[in-house]
Amino acid sequence: MHIVVIGAGVVGVTTAWALQQRGHQVTVIERLEGAGQETSKGNAGQRSYGVVYPWASAAMVRKALPWLLDRQGPLKMSMPPSLKTLRFLLDTLRFAYAPGVFGLNKRAMLRLGIHSRTCFQTLEEAVDLSFDGDHAGLLHLASSPAAMTDYADTAALLAELGIEHALLTPDQVRDVEPGMRGPGPLFGALQYTTDGTGDCHLFSRALAEACEKRGVTFRFNTSVRRLVADDRRVNAVEVADAGGAVERIEADAVVMSAGCASPELLRPLGLHLPVYPVKGYSLTAPLIDRERAPRSTVHDDNYKVVSTRLGDRLRATGFVELADFDRRIHESRLDTIKASVASRFPGAADMDRASTWTGFRPMTPDGPPAIGRGTRDNLYLNTGHGTFGWTLSAGSADLIAQVIDGETPSLDLDAFRPGRFAE
Ligand SMILES: Cc1cc2nc3c(=O)[nH]c(=O)nc-3n(C[C@H](O)[C@H](O)[C@H](O)COP(=O)(O)OP(=O)(O)OC[C@H]3O[C@@H](n4cnc5c(N)ncnc54)[C@H](O)[C@@H]3O)c2cc1C
């Protein structure tokens, strides 16, 4: 089959890889000049297979208002909120309080996380990619002694699902991350021992090159304008190049992996996919003292900031901002991220030379991505991975390839149904 994948973010590129491995002819269309240039560019770098959870939960809703009122709080919203933002929040509330939904979605996402770890291992054995990647574990630092009690509950679920983890005392945390010498209070941590890290942008670029060598065609600087469809099938994808020249690319099947841009391309085909761009920030700085830097990745629950080692760099990431597609970088957010790094890893990196970035998590209002068939026989979705697209990419790609090939998916995809928002 000739399959067109829309979008060369980490999800589109892993999808192209999975399809190529199964013998399909694949064309990837990307509006930017290369792979992994949009949301996949500057994320926190965590492959957090054990820490994937739905965003819509009653607990999150309870925390949201205090966070909004706290100047240094991790949640921000532009005022007044747009209609789109309000609609997304209302949908989120609906899912957060729907009986049983959070638990089902959390389990489904964790199973997808486990599957993704296996798929990453297979992929990294098959092709040698250089992306500052590792699997040296992830630490979730507790923000109070009480948080350690919550972590004990989480640990029970992790044990049930066979996810390797450990509850650590402050001394054990320092053993795992000896560079953590800052004044920030330490109450202990939940360690996800087999989780990993990696520069998602470098990975996307390197995997795209590996795909190209195996015959995948990448059409960069080319925008999809619309899907050309009849009542049953998508017959072609209409694209425009940077000069405005329009062309139709015929396809036996189409996979939508356009991140936050997916909804507008799907709407004309009657598919309502309420993916919202949830903005976040990152700083990437060169290391000046490796001994003071994180060995792997640390989520600091005090600031809700993640510090990750990526080769000779430290990347620190934070904030959940509801501001539609506003790309402005607010200095105060960067100051909070810097304060978090200073409280944990002072002197590790030259934060004055840090590059800054902002990107949009393609978030569904309930949390799970959309993986499966769309509103036409040969239209497929692999999109809406929100906070965890890097982590879930390899597993999601494998699953959508199984669906396209007419196999019974190796995971139950019910929580990921693209049509669930119209039900
Ligand atoms: C601050 C922050 C920190 C994060 N940290 C992590 C983390 O630690 N771990 C993790 O797992 N995830 C993390 N994420 C989430 C993760 O980055 C995303 O889920 C993931 O990058 C989404 O990948 P994608 O391929 O779906 O989207 P994108 O990377 O946005 O790719 C979509 C592509 O489609 C292209 N496109 C759009 N419209 C068109 C069109 N009309 N024609 C052609 N091409 C088009 C875009 O140009 C883009 O390249 C984080 C996100 C943010 C913002």
Side-chain angles (χ1 to χ4, degrees):
M1 272 202 279
H2 176 225
I3 304 175
V4 166
V5 177
I6 303 175
V10 70
V11 174
V13 176
T14 46
T15 301
W17 170 264
L19 293 170
Q20 189 283 329
Q21 291 286 293
R22 287 166 165 260
H24 295 293
Q25 185 197 342
V26 184
T27 302
V28 183
I29 318 277
E30 169 56 52
R31 64 183 171 187
L32 300 177
E33 70 281 8
Q37 297 278 12
E38 187 61 70
T39 307
S40 304
K41 186 160 188 185
N43 67 31
Q46 292 191 325
R47 291 188 282 174
S48 56
Y49 315 114
V51 202
V52 282
Y53 53 86
W55 125 286
S57 72
M60 198 277 288
V61 173
R62 277 196 298 276
K63 288 178 198 162
L65 194 59
W67 278 346
L68 274 174
L69 297 175
D70 176 359
R71 256 179 61 85
Q72 286 200 322
L75 178 62
K76 302 286 170 205
M77 183 159 68
S78 64
M79 289 293 175
S82 68
L83 207 57
K84 187 173 159 179
T85 305
L86 287 174
R87 217 174 275 145
F88 177 69
L89 287 175
L90 283 176
D91 280 347
T92 298
L93 282 174
R94 183 163 64 89
F95 285 112
Y97 288 104
V101 167
F102 174 77
L104 287 176
N105 285 345
K106 182 163 180 174
R107 279 182 160 70
M109 289 178 77
L110 281 168
R111 290 198 175 96
L112 178 54
I114 296 166
H115 182 58
S116 203
R117 182 178 55 189
T118 308
C119 293
F120 266 115
Q121 277 161 357
T122 308
L123 191 156
E124 287 175 65
E125 278 161 23
V127 59
D128 188 18
L129 302 175
S130 173
F131 60 100
D132 289 337
D134 209 343
H135 275 112
L138 180 157
L139 283 186
H140 214 123
L141 300 184
S143 58
S144 66
M148 283 306 287
T149 315
D150 294 345
Y151 285 179
D153 292 343
T154 306
L157 175 62
L158 297 174
E160 179 197 318
L161 295 174
I163 296 170
E164 290 172 48
H165 64 281
L167 284 166
L168 303 186
T169 63
D171 283 344
Q172 289 170 323
V173 170
R174 286 190 200 93
D175 288 344
V176 173
E177 284 290 356
M180 201 184 294
R181 301 178 198 171
L186 264 188
F187 303 103
L190 181 52
Q191 184 190 26
Y192 298 81
T193 38
T194 58
D195 280 5
T197 48
D199 185 322
C200 181
H201 168 59
L202 294 183
F203 174 88
S204 307
R205 220 172 55 184
L207 187 62
E209 281 166 14
C211 285
E212 256 181 324
K213 283 194 187 128
R214 287 162 177 77
V216 174
T217 303
F218 282 82
R219 298 279 304 266
F220 292 122
N221 295 309
T222 303
S223 255
V224 173
R225 289 160 42 121
R226 67 185 185 103
L227 307 182
V228 183
D230 56 32
D231 288 347
R232 215 169 57 79
R233 296 176 63 78
V234 178
N235 299 307
V237 172
E238 186 177 287
V239 302
D241 69 15
V246 176
E247 182 192 343
R248 281 190 179 184
I249 300 174
E250 291 186 2
D252 300 310
V254 172
V255 185
M256 181 61 67
S257 293
C260 293
S262 302
E264 67 191 77
L265 290 167
L266 293 167
R267 199 172 300 120
L269 301 192
L271 210 165
H272 172 56
L273 186 73
V275 164
Y276 183 91
V278 174
K279 184 177 171 184
Y281 293 75
S282 74
L283 285 158
T284 308
L287 293 188
I288 43 181
D289 186 344
R290 300 169 74 90
E291 301 305 315
R292 288 173 167 267
R295 283 179 171 170
S296 187
T297 182
V298 176
H299 181 113
D300 183 351
D301 236 1
N302 277 320
Y303 288 93
K304 305 274 179 236
V305 166
V306 170
S307 296
T308 303
R309 171 77 161 268
L310 296 172
D312 288 335
R313 297 165 296 151
L314 184 150
R315 176 163 300 156
T317 318
F319 286 99
V320 166
E321 195 172 307
L322 306 176
D324 296 309
F325 282 107
D326 180 351
R327 282 190 191 268
R328 277 175 300 175
I329 291 187
H330 299 286
E331 283 299 322
S332 61
R333 319 276 197 265
L334 303 182
D335 291 343
T336 302
I337 295 174
K338 285 180 186 169
S340 170
V341 175
S343 81
R344 298 295 178 193
F345 299 101
D350 187 350
M351 298 308 282
D352 292 336
R353 283 172 52 214
S355 59
T356 57
W357 175 84
T358 184
F360 301 104
R361 304 167 181 92
M363 193 81 92
T364 59
D366 51 353
I371 305 171
R373 197 187 292 269
T375 46
R376 298 294 187 277
D377 288 350
N378 61 342
L379 171 64
Y380 300 91
L381 274 70
N382 187 17
T383 191
H385 291 74
T387 309
F388 303 110
W390 170 213
T391 303
L392 300 177
S393 57
S396 307
D398 180 54
L399 289 166
I400 198 65
Q402 293 176 18
V403 173
I404 292 171
D405 279 346
E407 298 167 10
T408 304
S410 53
L411 276 189
D412 180 358
L413 293 183
D414 195 48
F416 308 112
R417 291 180 328 277
R420 64 190 186 272
F421 304 105
E423 292 163 6

